[in-house]
Amino acid sequence: MTARFALLGFGRIGRRIARLRPDVSAVLVRPGQEQAARALLPDALVTTSLEQVLATRPRMVVEVAGAGLLRDVAVPVLSAGVD
């Protein structure tokens, strides 16, 4: 069984991971990145809402957006029981 995971961020690193691992279940993007993310991850939920990402119940998240986002998402992600 493949681990369901979500990407938090869709910059250079997030796009590289998306190309290597198309089994991403959800990706948190900045407004304006939705179309590019959907092109690389057509089967994933693409959203600007952390709540929607967590609703997909990923087993883990990979934060690739930087320290600013990490401060905002760490507590909600860990509170949801996600690695």
Side-chain angles (χ1 to χ4, degrees):
M1 176 172 102
T2 348
R4 290 177 49 89
F5 74 98
L7 284 176
L8 304 183
F10 198 69
R12 191 172 56 216
I13 296 170
R15 289 169 195 232
R16 176 166 282 178
I17 292 171
R19 285 185 192 99
L20 296 172
R21 294 292 307 259
D23 58 335
V24 172
S25 62
V27 59
L28 180 69
V29 299
R30 284 188 276 178
Q33 294 181 316
E34 296 93 343
Q35 187 174 2
R38 285 187 186 106
L40 281 178
L41 298 166
D43 296 327
L45 170 70
V46 175
T47 182
T48 58
S49 163
L50 178 61
E51 292 78 21
Q52 288 182 343
V53 170
L54 294 176
T56 68
R57 301 182 56 147
R59 293 184 64 193
M60 70 180 120
V61 297
V62 178
E63 183 277 313
V64 291
L69 179 70
L70 182 59
R71 282 189 294 271
D72 295 337
V73 302
V75 170
V77 167
L78 295 173
S79 294
V82 181
D83 291 336

